[in-house]
Amino acid sequence: MKTMMLSMVAATALMIAGGAMAVDMPKSAKKNGCTNCHKIDKKVVGPSWQAVADKYKGDPSATAKLSTKIVKGGGGVWGAVPMPATPKISDAEVKEIVTFIRGLAK
Ligand code: HEC
């Protein structure tokens, strides 16, 4: 009985988190520390994800390029500061985040 109540609480928490994701960065971006350096609409340490989306709009090769860069890190595109590697991120999370970023393009 106690277990069932706990799982109901967990399910409710998930639903709330899911609702926030529509306007917010994906949960995987928070989990992997991306949000420390990126915001959607404002440059922090790294470029805003809106700017990234607009830069690669209409470039089909960018999905692969950005995915590799997220995992391996690197610099030279936006300024002098390089992005650190995130080797522990899963393929599914990279895909989710890149899809999210590309979806911001106007
Ligand atoms: C320590 C700060 C930092 C963290 C953490 C970080 N980034 Fe970055 N990110 C940067 C910087 C700086 C750049 C610009 C690099 C350049 O000029 O090539 C960048 C660039 C990018 C770009 C554009 C790459 C390009 O070549 O145009 C994407 C996409 C990106 N980051 C996604 C992510 C994701 C996803 C994560 C989390 C897994 C993440 N970043 C974590 C600092 C960071």
Side-chain angles (χ1 to χ4, degrees), residues 30-106:
K30 292 177 193 157
K31 189 184 133 196
N32 288 287
C34 319
T35 49
N36 293 331
C37 294
H38 292 283
K39 281 195 191 319
I40 291 176
D41 55 355
K42 209 169 133 263
K43 179 182 189 290
V44 190
V45 180
S48 79
W49 280 358
Q50 182 65 59
V52 175
D54 294 343
K55 179 179 176 70
Y56 298 104
K57 187 183 173 187
D59 176 358
S61 68
T63 298
K65 202 167 91 180
L66 294 177
S67 302
T68 306
K69 179 124 171 196
I70 289 166
V71 178
K72 299 200 169 153
V77 177
W78 296 88
V81 187
M83 170 158 75
T86 307
K88 280 190 287 196
I89 194 168
S90 75
D91 289 350
E93 286 173 329
V94 171
K95 195 170 169 205
E96 180 189 31
I97 295 171
V98 173
T99 304
F100 172 83
I101 294 173
R102 302 218 66 185
L104 299 168
K106 286 187 185 133

